[in-house]
Amino acid sequence: MAGHNHNVLAQDPALVKWAAMVTNRHKYFRWTGRTAWLTFVYVAAVPSIVLYLGYKTDGKYEMRGKRRGDIISEY
């Protein structure tokens, strides 16, 4: 089979270290105030804001069947 020459090119040590860090990130994770806050923001705050805006503007804008100069707001 072809391909017996693995690692022929010189590897960048910084990229190798970064790849190892990404692979083993779960082993070194620690809950801190910052990670708890970021988790709350991305898991609870952002989806709830998007959901609120979606419910608030549901049916307000109609893009289909409009011509140049028509307004997209229905009410």
Side-chain angles (χ1 to χ4, degrees):
M1 303 266 317
H4 294 289
N5 297 329
H6 297 292
N7 298 329
V8 173
L9 296 176
Q11 293 181 347
D12 185 5
L15 288 177
V16 172
K17 183 178 178 182
W18 178 79
M21 180 202 62
V22 168
T23 304
N24 297 318
R25 183 176 297 181
H26 66 281
K27 295 178 184 176
Y28 304 107
F29 178 78
R30 180 176 296 164
W31 283 105
T32 62
R34 183 174 186 263
T35 56
W37 172 249
L38 287 173
T39 302
F40 170 75
V41 167
Y42 287 118
V43 171
V46 171
S48 62
I49 290 170
V50 170
L51 184 68
Y52 171 75
L53 290 174
Y55 277 122
K56 192 73 174 166
T57 61
D58 185 31
K60 184 173 183 179
Y61 302 109
E62 183 64 43
M63 303 290 184
R64 297 181 73 186
K66 298 294 181 178
R67 296 182 182 195
R68 186 180 300 153
D70 291 345
I71 59 172
I72 61 171
S73 177
E74 292 294 321
Y75 57 90

